[in-house]
Amino acid sequence: MLPDLLKEQVRSLYETNLPAISRLENILCLLFESSGQINWAGLYLYDQKSGTCYLGPFFGKPACMEIKPSKGVIGYAIDQNRNITVADVLSFPGHIACDAASRSECVILLRKKDGSLIGVLDVDALCENFFLAEDQSLLEDISKFIEKLTGCIIL
Ligand code: SME
């Protein structure tokens, strides 16, 4: 389970008002380091024109740089227009295994103020069933800060 403290830590990093990329990197690092079970934490940026997602800032093993529409858990979350927790990625048809050690995953959609999609937060864990409902909810809360900073990154 992710520590509750994460939300306040992310808030204080966000409130430093230093450059967006500096805050974003530290927030993602904090998330990556928040549990020994997290093996990947980062962003994919959404290209409105092509519907493709491109790799953004992250912590973890090198990952695929391009995710075409409807591909993987990320494409599925976008198609469904909702945040997705996958308890067992090995049972998810079409899961894209950037790190073969990943066993569960949570994808949170990131939006601009007008509601349009700008990217996703993707977090992977080493064990099945890592992300409980409270964890998805916590990731949704911290995504409110992450999406404001993501809006400053040019694709
Ligand atoms: N597993 C994702 C791809 C991104 S990596 O996990 C970093 C997916 O199936 O969409």
Side-chain angles (χ1 to χ4, degrees):
M1 198 171 157
L2 294 168
D4 273 347
L5 184 65
L6 194 58
K7 198 167 153 187
E8 279 320 303
Q9 291 174 315
V10 168
R11 182 195 298 279
S12 30
L13 283 171
Y14 178 80
E15 287 175 350
T16 58
N17 287 322
L18 290 165
I21 191 66
S22 309
R23 288 184 277 165
L24 198 46
E25 284 289 359
N26 254 355
I27 288 170
L28 292 173
C29 186
L30 197 64
L31 176 54
F32 181 72
E33 295 288 344
S34 65
S35 159
Q37 288 296 318
I38 302 289
N39 61 312
W40 205 91
L43 304 182
Y44 278 87
L45 307 174
Y46 183 70
D47 175 39
Q48 299 264 1
K49 279 191 195 146
S50 63
T52 300
C53 285
Y54 295 100
L55 184 62
F58 71 96
F59 287 83
K61 293 215 166 130
C64 51
M65 293 197 278
E66 185 182 54
I67 296 182
K68 297 275 191 197
S70 305
K71 298 294 179 194
V73 179
I74 290 175
Y76 180 76
I78 292 172
D79 286 351
Q80 296 277 309
N81 194 28
R82 63 184 171 94
N83 302 330
I84 300 276
T85 291
V86 177
D88 173 14
V89 295
L90 300 181
S91 305
F92 188 94
H95 166 253
I96 301 165
C98 292
D99 181 344
S102 296
R103 285 294 171 271
S104 52
E105 177 163 0
C106 187
V107 173
I108 310 291
L109 303 179
L110 306 173
R111 302 177 191 282
K112 279 202 284 203
K113 264 190 188 163
D114 67 6
S116 57
L117 188 71
I118 50 172
V120 303
L121 169 67
D122 183 25
V123 191
D124 288 8
L126 292 167
C127 61
E128 287 178 22
N129 287 304
F130 177 77
F131 301 99
L132 308 176
E134 304 92 283
D135 295 310
Q136 179 174 324
S137 170
L138 191 147
L139 291 173
E140 287 167 350
D141 287 346
I142 69 169
S143 286
K144 295 294 157 220
F145 300 108
I146 292 176
E147 65 192 356
K148 286 186 191 134
L149 299 171
T150 306
C152 303
I153 301 178
I154 297 163
L155 194 58

